[in-house]
Amino acid sequence: MSKKQSKFTLFLDYVWMTVGCVIFAIAWEAFLISNHIASGGLAGICTVINFSTGIPVSFSYIVLNVLLLGIGFLVLGKGFGFKTIYCIALTTVLFDVLPRTPFIANLETNPLLDDKVLNPIIGGLIEAIGISFIFKRGGSTGGTDVIALILNKFWPVSPGKVYMCLDVFIIASVLLVPGMGIKDMVYGYIAMLSFTLFLDFLLLGSKATVQVLVFSKKYKEIADEMTINLSRGVTALQAVGWYSQQESKVLLIMVRKTQLSMITRAIKDIDPGAFVSVSSASAVYGQGFDEMRTGIDRKKKQQENK
């Protein structure tokens, strides 16, 4: 990549992160904070602080994030750190400016949605869209984002699951706020589920993998089609039909979920009577799929062994 292309890519990173921060802040201000709903994450902690003490979300947000930035620099590199500083600074400004705009200020008395349950659902969906833009460009809004990205770097755990575990405790803290109770906590959990499930769909949906088993007398033609024309790896497993007692081969193919229709169409074209079994694979490691992450720095381990 040329220097000019590299600069343009970096420029696009910041454009998309800016869009993500705006979407993220609007989701909180328009659907959650204005409806007195505290969801998860650092923004959720700051919202609970705001409900109980009146301290502006923007102030506690920047203070708490400063405490976590050092971790981002040390573990995820300088590139992550600078992008995170930008996202934190922009989000802090948005949390300060948006509540003073006529549109957001009016939502305290005239919410966008009259149905209280729809607000956390829509808010969580919109928040996930904003965060996905930021994550895909290597940024973060700080807080629990830092924890999620650190864990995801070393262990194959989805960001959404990290959020869910942390958010259970953060949302429950609304019970400590005077005047708020179980109902308010439930609204927070609705927003959390909406956010985490949709975030995993946006970030990991295209990486979902399925295992395909093909039972066909034309296994050789199907295997050749997979390897030669579709560039997919195939493993032929020795099998015996128990009823017929005839030996044959069962083809094992690992493919992305998005490629499944292409694979099954090719199989049907060769043998319309083929028996095909498809099952979801929770994780697949190796060439063409995901890198195996065990929490061990391989380079460091190699140096220690020398």
Side-chain angles (χ1 to χ4, degrees):
M1 183 183 291
S2 67
K3 194 172 183 180
K4 189 175 181 180
Q5 288 176 320
S6 179
K7 287 183 178 180
F8 181 69
T9 301
L10 186 62
F11 171 75
L12 286 179
D13 286 345
Y14 280 89
V15 168
W16 282 110
M17 286 190 298
T18 300
V19 172
C21 288
V22 172
I23 294 173
F24 171 78
I26 289 176
W28 272 92
E29 293 291 349
F31 293 95
L32 300 177
I33 297 175
S34 61
N35 287 283
H36 300 281
I37 298 171
S39 186
L42 189 65
I45 296 174
C46 297
T47 302
V48 172
I49 293 173
N50 175 256
F51 290 162
S52 57
T53 66
I55 295 174
V57 172
S58 58
F59 178 78
S60 55
Y61 189 80
I62 188 66
V63 170
L64 293 176
N65 264 308
V66 167
L67 299 177
L68 292 166
L69 278 178
I71 300 175
F73 274 115
L74 291 173
V75 179
L76 300 169
K78 293 182 179 180
F80 167 87
F82 288 128
K83 288 181 177 179
T84 299
I85 289 174
Y86 172 78
C87 291
I88 291 173
L90 178 57
T91 306
T92 301
V93 171
L94 290 168
F95 275 143
D96 182 56
V97 172
L98 286 177
R100 290 184 279 166
T101 61
F103 172 70
I104 298 296
N106 189 49
L107 292 179
E108 287 280 347
T109 53
N110 298 294
L112 288 174
L113 301 171
D114 293 328
D115 191 331
K116 184 83 173 185
V117 176
L118 282 179
N119 281 291
I121 293 175
I122 301 301
L125 293 176
I126 296 175
E127 182 189 359
I129 293 171
I131 289 292
S132 68
F133 284 169
I134 296 168
F135 271 18
K136 286 180 179 179
R137 292 293 172 166
S140 164
T141 54
T144 52
D145 292 4
V146 176
I147 300 172
L149 288 178
I150 289 174
L151 291 177
N152 188 249
K153 178 179 180 180
F154 297 108
W155 287 276
V157 56
S158 69
K161 289 179 181 176
V162 177
Y163 277 118
M164 190 173 290
C165 292
L166 295 173
D167 291 352
V168 165
F169 298 100
I170 294 172
I171 295 170
S173 66
V174 300
L175 296 175
L176 303 175
V177 179
M180 301 188 79
I182 299 294
K183 195 174 182 180
D184 301 291
M185 182 178 70
V186 171
Y187 289 139
Y189 285 135
I190 292 173
M192 176 195 76
L193 289 172
S194 174
F195 168 70
T196 52
L197 294 175
F198 196 47
L199 179 65
D200 276 352
F201 172 77
L202 292 173
L203 294 180
L204 306 176
S206 62
K207 292 185 177 181
T209 306
V210 293
Q211 176 181 278
V212 181
L213 292 175
V214 183
F215 302 80
S216 171
K217 293 180 180 179
K218 298 182 179 180
Y219 61 83
K220 188 179 185 304
E221 293 92 327
I222 294 174
D224 288 341
E225 175 69 15
M226 295 296 121
T227 55
I228 297 172
N229 296 325
L230 298 182
S231 301
R232 299 310 310 169
V234 178
T235 300
L237 306 174
Q238 193 67 35
V240 177
W242 196 250
Y243 180 78
S244 64
Q245 291 297 308
Q246 292 183 351
E247 291 191 358
S248 183
K249 285 185 169 58
V250 175
L251 303 181
L252 171 63
I253 311 167
M254 304 300 297
V255 297
R256 297 294 188 190
K257 200 170 185 179
T258 53
Q259 301 169 323
L260 181 59
S261 60
M262 175 183 67
I263 297 296
T264 54
R265 193 183 305 116
I267 295 171
K268 187 176 180 181
D269 289 342
I270 297 172
D271 182 6
F275 184 83
V276 180
S277 171
V278 180
S279 57
S280 297
S282 59
V284 178
Y285 306 111
Q287 186 176 356
F289 293 92
D290 296 327
E291 178 188 354
M292 186 176 293
R293 288 164 286 188
T294 62
I296 301 173
D297 190 328
R298 209 181 317 174
K299 290 183 179 179
K300 186 176 179 181
K301 189 175 181 181
Q302 288 175 349
Q303 289 175 352
E304 291 175 351
N305 292 334
K306 287 182 179 180

